[in-house]
Amino acid sequence: HVQLVESGGGSVQAGGSLRLSCVASVNTYSTYCMGWFRQAPGKEREGVATIYTSSGRTRYADSVKGRFTISQDNAKNTLYLQMNSLKSEDTAEYYCAADGRWTSTCSQHPDDYIHWGQGTQVTVSS
């Protein structure tokens, strides 16, 4: 079982930045796909950004393209999400997830991920 621990959430004003971190209990390369997802109150969990850990290929939701950047530091078993130009609609609980099964491309759907962190709250005030 892969354990994931997120940190870095908090409260920020619109236009500000935050960086989320997710430390994995295994080498990130062994997970094939890792990603960041978010869930706002009353809404379904949605994919924000994913990374194919061996190649570094990334995918983003249209709503965050150009503002968010997903990255990894394999030496630290850590996944990051740099969030810039934050908007009030980015307010949500953010989750780190890992797949762990072989795949050729990373899904953006939360149902396709097995391992989940506990979440970290991001609140953006306008």
Side-chain angles (χ1 to χ4, degrees):
H1 180 72
V2 178
Q3 292 183 318
L4 303 169
V5 179
E6 302 103 330
S7 62
S11 297
V12 64
Q13 289 191 330
S17 299
L18 283 173
R19 188 176 80 156
L20 306 183
S21 299
C22 171
V23 179
S25 60
V26 299
N27 187 296
T28 54
Y29 287 170
S30 68
T31 64
Y32 296 103
C33 290
M34 293 188 74
W36 289 97
F37 297 79
R38 66 186 181 187
Q39 188 167 18
K43 295 187 176 181
E44 292 187 351
R45 192 170 296 188
E46 62 174 358
V48 175
T50 60
I51 185 167
Y52 197 79
T53 55
S54 60
S55 69
R57 185 171 69 241
T58 58
R59 294 178 65 187
Y60 295 92
D62 288 342
S63 58
V64 307
K65 282 181 181 176
R67 301 188 298 121
F68 291 12
T69 302
I70 187 172
S71 62
Q72 62 179 333
D73 185 335
N74 184 54
K76 296 181 179 180
N77 293 346
T78 302
L79 183 74
Y80 300 101
L81 184 69
Q82 178 66 44
M83 305 185 294
N84 299 328
S85 302
L86 282 160
K87 305 175 181 180
S88 57
E89 50 262 46
D90 295 318
T91 294
E93 187 82 5
Y94 282 72
Y95 298 89
C96 171
D99 189 342
R101 300 166 295 181
W102 184 89
T103 181
S104 60
T105 185
C106 293
S107 167
Q108 294 282 85
H109 200 287
D111 287 352
D112 294 323
Y113 288 77
I114 297 175
H115 310 286
W116 290 86
Q118 81 287 353
T120 185
Q121 177 68 35
V122 172
T123 302
V124 184
S125 57
S126 57

